[in-house]
Amino acid sequence: MSWLVTGDAVVLGLQPAKLPSRALALLIDLVCVWVVYIAISVGLLAATASMDEAASAALAVAMFLLVLVGAPIAVETLSHGRSLGKLACGLRVVRDDGGPIRFRHALVRGAIGVVEILMTFGVVACIASLVSARG
C-alpha cells in the first residue's frame, strides 16, 4: 500500500496496478482501437476510391493520428483516466496527488506512449513499472 497525502491533507491509500492487470487492460484497449481503425479504414477505402494517391495517403495519415493517438487521449480525458480496458480491469490513471488526469496529462501520455511503443514495443514502460517504487 502506498500512502499519498493530497493538497487538502487527506491521506489516500493507493495501490499501484500490477503488470499483468496493466497488460490485460492494454490488450483490451488495443483490440478495441484496432477494430475501430480497421472499420474506419475499410469505410475510407470505399469512400476515397476515386481520389488520387497523394490525397489518399494524406487521409490515411490523418486517420492514423486521429484514431490511434487522438481517440485514446480523448477517452482518457473524458473518462478521467479510465479507458475500456482499464474499466474492465478496475484500473484508473491518476496524477501524483491522486486526482484524475486532465487533457494535458492525457496528451503527454498519448504522445510519449505512441513514440515509446513504436520504438521499443513497450519494453521501457515495463521496465520502468517494475523498478519504480510507485509502480
Side-chain angles (χ1 to χ4, degrees), residues 16-28 85 89 91 126 129-130:
K18 303 292 183 203
L19 190 60
S21 61
R22 288 182 187 195
L24 179 61
L26 177 66
L27 182 66
I28 293 169
C89 294
L91 305 177
C126 288
S129 175
L130 291 172

Side-chain angles (χ1 to χ4, degrees), residues 3 5-6 11 13 17 25 31 35-36 55 57-58 62 64 71 74 79 94 99 111 114 117 125:
W3 296 102
V5 180
T6 67
V11 178
V31 167
V35 165
V36 170
F64 175 83
S79 67
V94 295
V114 167
I117 288 171

Side-chain angles (χ1 to χ4, degrees), residues 104-127:
R104 65 184 169 118
H105 305 111
L107 180 64
V108 170
R109 281 177 47 84
I112 297 298
V114 167
V115 171
E116 191 266 332
I117 288 171
L118 289 177
M119 291 179 70
T120 67
F121 299 106
V123 172
V124 173
C126 288
I127 292 171

Side-chain angles (χ1 to χ4, degrees), residues 32-38 40-41 61-73:
C32 293
V33 167
W34 279 106
V35 165
V36 170
Y37 181 74
I38 290 171
I40 291 174
S41 293
V61 169
M63 183 192 60
F64 175 83
L65 288 174
L66 285 175
V67 172
L68 298 180
V69 179
I73 291 170

Side-chain angles (χ1 to χ4, degrees), residues 31-100:
V31 167
C32 293
V33 167
W34 279 106
V35 165
V36 170
Y37 181 74
I38 290 171
I40 291 174
S41 293
V42 169
L44 278 178
L45 185 65
T48 62
S50 63
M51 294 177 88
D52 63 342
E53 214 174 295
S56 295
L59 197 56
V61 169
M63 183 192 60
F64 175 83
L65 288 174
L66 285 175
V67 172
L68 298 180
V69 179
I73 291 170
V75 167
E76 279 196 353
T77 300
L78 296 173
S79 67
H80 302 292
R82 288 189 159 218
S83 62
L84 188 60
K86 289 180 188 77
L87 189 63
C89 294
L91 305 177
R92 184 172 71 115
V93 178
V94 295
R95 298 186 316 248
D96 282 340
D97 65 354

